[in-house]
Amino acid sequence: MTDTKPPGHLKPARIEQVAGAAGTGRDTAGGAGEPGAEAAPASAPVAATGVGTAGTKRTRRSAGAGAARTGASANPAAELGFSGDPGQHGDPDDGMLHAQRAWDASLATNRLDDQGVNLERQRVETKGVTAGVALLVDGWPEDVRRCVESVIEHTGAHVLALDLGNVDGAGDVLRELAERHPERITAWHVSETPHWRGGTATWGESRAKLLRLDESEVHVLMETNVVLRGDALTPLIAAVVEGAVAAGWRGLNPVAAEEPDPARESTGDVGPRTVWREADPGTVRALSGELIAVRRAQAFGALPEDARYGRYADLELSLALPGHLVVPHRRLPVTLLGRHDVAGDYAERESRRNYDGVLRRLRAS
C-alpha cells in the first residue's frame, strides 16, 4: 500500500487537547468549569479529568429546610477562598484559590488514572481507529516471543512482522506465534539477512516495506526488546487521534553542550556539541524509537529509508515529521529487555552516518 490520503478517523492537530488542562476545583460529576475560572499553570500540566459538578442543577430543598441558620458556617472552605463548594468559586484573582484548584485537579486526575477511568475513556474514543504494530525480527528469539505475546495480551492492535533471514531461529518463533494467532499476526519471511550481519536488508528499507504493507491509520514502530506490561498503545493512539502527528513512551530534547565534539574537528565543525536529554511529558522535539505511534499518512517521506542501522534513525524520523510530537502524562507500562547490541565498529560507523542526517535537520530547522 502506498496510499497517503489523510486517515478518516483522526482529528486535525489541536495540541492543547493532547497536553491536558486542569479543571476548576473539586468537580466530580462531568460538567465544565465556571466561565472565567483559571487553569493550572503551564509549568505543571495535568490531564483533564472530564468530570465535574459545576454545571449541574442544585436540588430544591424540602419545605422548612431553607430556614436561616446561625452558628457554624455552612461552607467555611468557600469563605476562606477554597473551592470546597462546586457552586462557589471565590475570587478568580486569588492566588490561594488558584493553587487549590490546581491541586484539586491533580488529585482528581491521579485518582482517575489509578482507577483506569481515563484509559477506558481513551479506548472508547479510539475504538474506530485502526492501528498496526510493525516489528523487524532480526534475532533474539526469546525477546521476540515476549514482545509479540505482550502485544497480543494487552492490546487489540494487529501485528505486522518482517523476519530477516531467521537469525538465531527468531523467524521460527515468529512463525509459531503467527500460526497460533492468525487473526492477530501477519508475518513475512525473507531470505535476506540484516545489514548489520553482513546482509542486504537495511533498517530503513525494511521499515519502509512494513509502512507500505500496513493499511492502518496509526502505524506503530516497535522494537522487539520492548515488552508491554499493560495497554501502553491506547494512550499513544489517543494522542495521535487528538491531533499529534506522533506520540511515544519517551521524549527527547536537544541541548547544546559547553565543549565541542572532538569527533567532528576533522570536518571543520567545531561548534557546540548537541546532546539529547530525556524530556518531560508533553510536547517534545523527538521520540525514542523503541515505541512510537505515528500517523501513517505523515510517515511517508519522513522515514529515513537510507538508514542502514536503527540507532539515531528515530531522531531523524522525528525531526522530519510535520507536526507536534508528544509524550502522554500518564506513565506507560513498558519494559525494556535490554539493548540488542551489534559489532562495535559497525554500530559506531552507522550511528555516526545516521547522526549526520540528524544534525543536518537540526541546522535546517
Side-chain angles (χ1 to χ4, degrees):
M1 289 292 295
T2 58
D3 181 17
T4 59
K5 64 182 180 180
H9 292 96
L10 307 185
K11 299 179 183 178
R14 290 192 292 178
I15 194 62
E16 69 276 5
Q17 291 191 2
V18 178
T24 56
R26 302 179 189 272
D27 292 347
T28 56
E34 291 287 339
E38 296 187 35
S43 60
V46 291
T49 62
V51 294
T53 58
T56 59
K57 295 182 179 180
R58 298 188 179 184
T59 305
R60 186 181 300 275
R61 293 184 179 181
S62 60
R69 294 185 295 177
T70 59
S73 170
N75 191 357
E79 291 181 2
L80 292 174
F82 295 108
S83 54
D85 181 355
Q88 298 184 26
H89 298 278
D91 181 0
D93 295 324
D94 191 325
M96 184 179 293
L97 172 60
H98 179 81
Q100 181 67 27
R101 286 176 177 168
W103 177 257
D104 289 345
S106 178
L107 288 178
T109 300
N110 291 338
R111 286 194 296 268
L112 287 175
D113 282 341
D114 290 342
Q115 297 169 9
V117 174
N118 282 341
L119 181 60
E120 188 59 35
R121 173 179 57 80
Q122 289 173 336
R123 285 177 179 148
V124 172
E125 293 174 348
T126 61
K127 185 177 180 180
V129 179
T130 56
V133 176
L135 301 174
L136 282 185
V137 176
D138 58 352
W140 297 275
E142 288 309 308
D143 287 2
V144 170
R145 182 184 303 278
R146 293 181 62 183
C147 172
V148 174
E149 287 179 343
S150 73
V151 175
I152 298 299
E153 178 181 358
H154 296 294
T155 80
H158 193 81
V159 175
L160 303 98
L162 179 60
D163 162 37
L164 304 178
N166 193 24
V167 176
D168 299 330
D172 294 334
V173 171
L174 176 62
R175 193 185 308 275
E176 172 197 331
L177 293 170
E179 290 174 354
R180 190 187 310 166
H181 306 281
E183 74 289 350
R184 295 290 308 278
I185 302 173
T186 301
W188 294 269
H189 302 268
V190 297
S191 59
E192 290 85 355
T193 55
H195 190 267
W196 62 263
R197 200 177 171 94
T200 59
T202 66
W203 183 93
E205 291 176 347
S206 300
R207 280 289 177 191
K209 287 180 181 178
L210 284 170
L211 180 63
R212 294 185 176 94
L213 289 167
D214 192 5
E215 298 182 2
S216 304
E217 294 170 285
V218 178
H219 184 77
V220 180
L221 293 87
M222 184 172 179
E223 298 294 338
T224 54
N225 65 337
V226 173
V227 168
L228 307 183
R229 293 178 286 102
D231 185 0
L233 296 189
T234 293
L236 300 181
I237 296 170
V240 173
V241 169
E242 287 299 325
V245 68
W249 81 293
R250 282 200 315 136
L252 301 167
N253 284 329
V255 296
E258 294 181 358
E259 59 283 336
D261 186 354
R264 307 197 64 79
E265 291 182 358
S266 61
T267 66
D269 183 1
V270 293
R273 181 165 55 97
T274 300
V275 178
W276 291 85
R277 302 193 187 281
E278 186 163 355
D280 292 331
T283 304
V284 298
R285 193 71 186 277
L287 296 168
S288 181
E290 295 93 355
L291 186 63
I292 300 176
V294 61
R295 292 175 180 241
R296 178 175 168 271
Q298 274 66 50
F300 287 101
L303 186 73
E305 295 189 36
D306 62 339
R308 296 186 287 222
Y309 183 52
R311 187 176 298 171
Y312 297 135
D314 51 354
L315 300 183
E316 190 170 1
L317 168 63
S318 297
L319 294 174
L321 286 169
H324 290 288
L325 313 177
V326 301
V327 173
H329 289 282
R330 174 176 174 265
R331 183 179 294 275
L332 301 181
V334 174
T335 296
L336 291 181
L337 298 177
R339 293 181 56 168
H340 289 174
D341 290 324
V342 300
D345 55 344
Y346 174 90
E348 177 66 23
R349 181 180 69 252
E350 294 302 326
S351 297
R352 174 60 64 182
R353 180 176 180 269
N354 290 346
Y355 201 67
D356 286 341
V358 173
L359 293 176
R360 284 194 297 270
R361 290 196 175 275
L362 278 175
R363 295 190 190 104
S365 61

